[in-house]
Amino acid sequence: MKKILVANRGEIAIRVMRTAKKMGIKTVTVYSTIDRHSPHVKYADEAVLIGEAPSNQSYLLGDKIIEVAKAQNADAIHPGYGFLSENAEFAELCEANDIIFIGPKSHAIKIMGSKLAAKDAVKAYDIPMVPGTAEAISDIPEAKEIAKKIGFPILIKASAGGGGKGMRIVENESQFESQMDRAISEAVNAFGDGSVFIEKYVTSPRHIEIQVMADTHGNYIHLFERECSIQRRHQKVVEEAPSSVLTPKLRHEMGEAAIRVAKACDYIGAGTVEFLLDDDLNFYFLEMNTRLQVEHPVSEIITKTDLVELQIRVARGEVLPYTQDDIKIHGHAMELRVYAEDPLNDFLPSVGTLETYTMPQGEGIRVDNGFEQGMDIPIYYDPMISKLITFGKTRDEAMSLMLEAIDNYHIEGIETTLPFGTFVFEHDAFRSGHFDTHFVKKYYSAEHLLEQHKKEARIAALIAVNAYVKAQKLLRVPQ
């Protein structure tokens, strides 16, 4: 493997290319017209314009990306995450054109791309699952009867869904029909597939995922868990590894369960098995993500591994260089996704120019970044600017360093989730480890953040006044 095409943009494109260069592999990237001057274009050895700004005219053009790969003599394609990373047809297209797809085989993507197919695939592997329907359902009266048998509250979920789309919590029978209609409609609009299913709603759950890796020689390992319970609109914002609530026994059980899920679909490469954890520390299979996750850095840091390097080595047909016994947990890592969103306005996207953009630096701080000062934030893509990651010997140390890093991350011209990060990492519930996926709903509001801003402004004003008074006293001292 001498040359890899990275079919993505921003921080993940740079992240993949950094490892490729370290391994002595040349890189090609593609870009849209609006990304012409983006850092990932400058970082690549070669860059090719792929189309206009909208992703369906550029980064989602599988046929065109294959053409570029062949024209540039790329041996392999790394899809990053998002865009074509979980597109089974694109993986098949790579295979048909003798280009290595750095990811799982298309059949694994297909199975795990449907939540119902995934449940069906793992049911013979002794994987705990939330009580619910085993197949898609659209008959509302029949669905209501099933929901009554399962017991409210229940969750209606799109089979082809993700990111919280096509998902509805139903607290009681009277809400059922309207929420079912909405879930089906949203699923059709988002995925072109109105298939939904019903599950018992796990109250106060934690979202725990296990990183797995498998090679083509039948070897499987897991790299422990990530805690991903701090979410807004069912989207993760803060992640950490390891989780503060898993015991060694539970960690082992969940890791083994994740490997069984991977084996259920003959998985190859890096993947993530997601679980819900209830109040009594019972865990339930949620889904499998057949790609590198946004939050993979925290797993890399605590296990001292490079997951992209492992992906590339597996894609080249190499045997995994580690056994399960080789993988140990070292310290604690935290990640904050820095989004161009306004936490004072329901996390709506914030569009503008990065008038000031200075990233924090120092030991234990890592920033996976895709922007630079003076750039505009495009409206066409996910609004994530970067990922701020900190590492410490302990959880408290990682949190303390995170707060320091946020203070030293200077962004002007747009609103970002940095102040929200401060709110989370200073909050007693998060610091104690006693929180769940309802953290934002329970504790966060724009008013809380405004009050925090006012408090900080008052402190800054007092410091300024104190400094002024001291300066005046010094000026009055007779010479």
Side-chain angles (χ1 to χ4, degrees):
M1 194 182 290
K2 295 179 180 178
K3 188 185 288 188
I4 292 173
L5 184 147
V6 181
N8 218 296
R9 64 182 296 278
E11 63 84 17
I12 187 57
I14 295 171
R15 163 72 194 90
V16 171
M17 289 189 284
R18 186 177 293 119
T19 287
K21 290 192 176 189
K22 179 184 75 175
M23 297 174 73
I25 301 170
K26 294 286 186 183
T27 58
V28 185
T29 195
V30 291
Y31 63 94
S32 68
T33 50
I34 204 165
D35 279 340
R36 189 182 299 276
H37 302 296
S38 293
H40 80 276
V41 176
K42 301 171 190 174
Y43 192 85
D45 294 309
E46 301 167 31
V48 179
L49 178 65
I50 195 76
E52 296 301 317
S55 56
N56 63 357
Q57 297 176 39
S58 50
Y59 297 106
L60 290 174
L61 296 178
D63 288 331
K64 196 163 185 180
I65 288 170
I66 293 289
E67 283 178 21
V68 172
K70 292 168 80 171
Q72 304 304 120
N73 297 312
D75 307 295
I77 293 177
H78 195 302
Y81 50 71
F83 295 134
L84 296 169
S85 63
E86 292 180 286
N87 186 307
E89 288 72 27
F90 181 66
E92 287 174 348
L93 198 59
C94 290
E95 293 165 15
N97 283 275
D98 295 322
I99 296 170
I100 297 168
F101 180 75
I102 302 177
K105 298 299 180 185
S106 57
H107 75 273
I109 299 175
K110 285 177 182 174
I111 290 170
M112 292 301 165
S114 163
K115 291 181 174 64
L116 286 172
K119 283 186 164 192
D120 190 56
V122 306
K123 67 184 180 185
Y125 285 79
D126 192 29
I127 308 296
M129 286 188 278
V130 179
T133 56
E135 55 189 31
I137 190 163
S138 57
D139 184 294
I140 293 180
E142 182 187 353
K144 185 189 281 189
E145 288 305 311
I146 293 170
K148 285 159 68 176
K149 287 177 184 175
I150 293 171
F152 290 96
I154 59 100
L155 192 61
I156 302 170
K157 298 172 77 173
S159 178
K165 295 182 178 68
M167 183 184 294
R168 296 282 164 176
I169 299 166
V170 186
E171 299 287 351
N172 53 60
E173 187 179 342
S174 65
Q175 299 176 348
F176 185 82
E177 291 185 18
S178 62
Q179 296 290 59
M180 185 82 171
D181 281 335
R182 287 178 184 174
I184 292 171
S185 174
E186 197 171 298
V188 169
N189 290 334
F191 313 109
D193 181 354
S195 302
V196 299
F197 63 101
I198 298 169
E199 281 183 349
K200 177 69 178 173
Y201 180 61
V202 180
T203 56
S204 303
R206 293 179 80 120
H207 188 134
I208 308 288
E209 61 188 31
I210 306 288
Q211 176 70 57
V212 296
M213 181 69 69
D215 63 23
T216 56
H217 304 274
N219 300 304
Y220 293 81
I221 60 171
H222 69 82
L223 293 93
F224 307 111
E225 81 279 1
R226 295 187 286 258
E227 170 75 69
C228 305
S229 298
I230 305 296
Q231 306 176 1
R232 49 96 180 96
R233 296 195 297 270
H234 302 287
Q235 289 273 27
K236 304 162 192 170
V237 191
V238 171
E239 300 98 355
E240 63 178 301
S243 169
S244 60
V245 293
L246 263 60
T247 63
K249 180 175 181 291
L250 185 55
R251 179 171 291 120
H252 173 75
E253 289 174 358
M254 292 182 76
E256 288 297 307
I259 286 175
R260 292 198 299 274
V261 170
K263 287 180 175 179
C265 64
D266 301 317
Y267 200 79
I268 294 169
T272 299
V273 182
E274 304 200 356
F275 297 97
L276 289 181
L277 189 73
D278 70 16
D279 281 341
D280 298 318
L281 300 185
N282 299 306
F283 65 91
Y284 306 97
F285 172 65
L286 186 61
E287 63 182 340
M288 184 177 191
N289 288 301
T290 55
R291 54 173 167 79
L292 198 67
Q293 291 281 87
V294 174
E295 58 273 17
H296 75 274
V298 293
S299 294
E300 292 184 317
I301 289 170
I302 68 159
T303 58
K304 298 185 178 180
T305 57
D306 182 330
L307 289 171
V308 174
E309 181 178 341
L310 291 179
Q311 282 187 300
I312 292 170
R313 292 193 181 282
V314 164
R316 293 197 303 206
E318 296 179 25
V319 176
L320 281 173
Y322 309 110
T323 66
Q324 191 62 58
D325 290 341
D326 295 326
I327 309 296
K328 309 293 182 188
I329 294 177
H330 305 273
H332 204 100
M334 300 272 183
E335 176 178 297
L336 170 66
R337 300 189 190 189
V338 183
Y339 284 105
E341 293 178 343
D342 186 356
L344 294 177
N345 189 19
D346 198 29
F347 294 96
L348 290 175
S350 178
V351 178
T353 302
L354 293 171
E355 295 166 4
T356 298
Y357 191 71
T358 308
M359 295 179 290
Q361 296 178 337
E363 187 178 351
I365 296 172
R366 165 176 163 178
V367 185
D368 283 15
N369 173 57
F371 285 84
E372 56 189 25
Q373 189 164 293
M375 286 181 64
D376 291 330
I377 302 296
I379 61 171
Y380 302 97
Y381 316 115
D382 183 273
M384 190 170 71
I385 301 170
S386 69
K387 299 178 309 202
L388 176 59
I389 307 115
T390 58
F391 169 76
K393 293 175 184 174
T394 64
R395 187 171 186 266
D396 284 344
E397 191 177 309
M399 281 192 290
S400 177
L401 187 56
M402 177 61 80
L403 286 167
E404 182 182 323
I406 291 171
D407 282 345
N408 291 312
Y409 204 147
H410 302 298
I411 302 177
E412 292 178 9
I414 59 164
E415 300 302 323
T416 75
T417 50
L418 286 170
F420 173 74
T422 300
F423 174 85
V424 173
F425 290 104
E426 286 184 343
H427 199 280
D428 289 343
F430 183 81
R431 299 188 72 83
S432 70
H434 299 302
F435 59 91
D436 55 40
T437 55
H438 302 308
F439 176 91
V440 171
K441 183 180 177 181
K442 285 180 181 175
Y443 304 116
Y444 176 76
S445 70
E447 289 72 26
H448 280 129
L449 204 58
L450 280 170
E451 186 56 40
Q452 187 181 60
H453 282 181
K454 288 176 184 175
K455 183 179 178 182
E456 289 170 356
R458 283 196 297 270
I459 292 170
L462 286 170
I463 291 170
V465 168
N466 190 42
Y468 175 79
V469 169
K470 283 183 177 178
Q472 290 301 307
K473 284 180 179 177
L474 286 171
L475 287 172
R476 293 191 191 106
V477 173
Q479 299 296 319

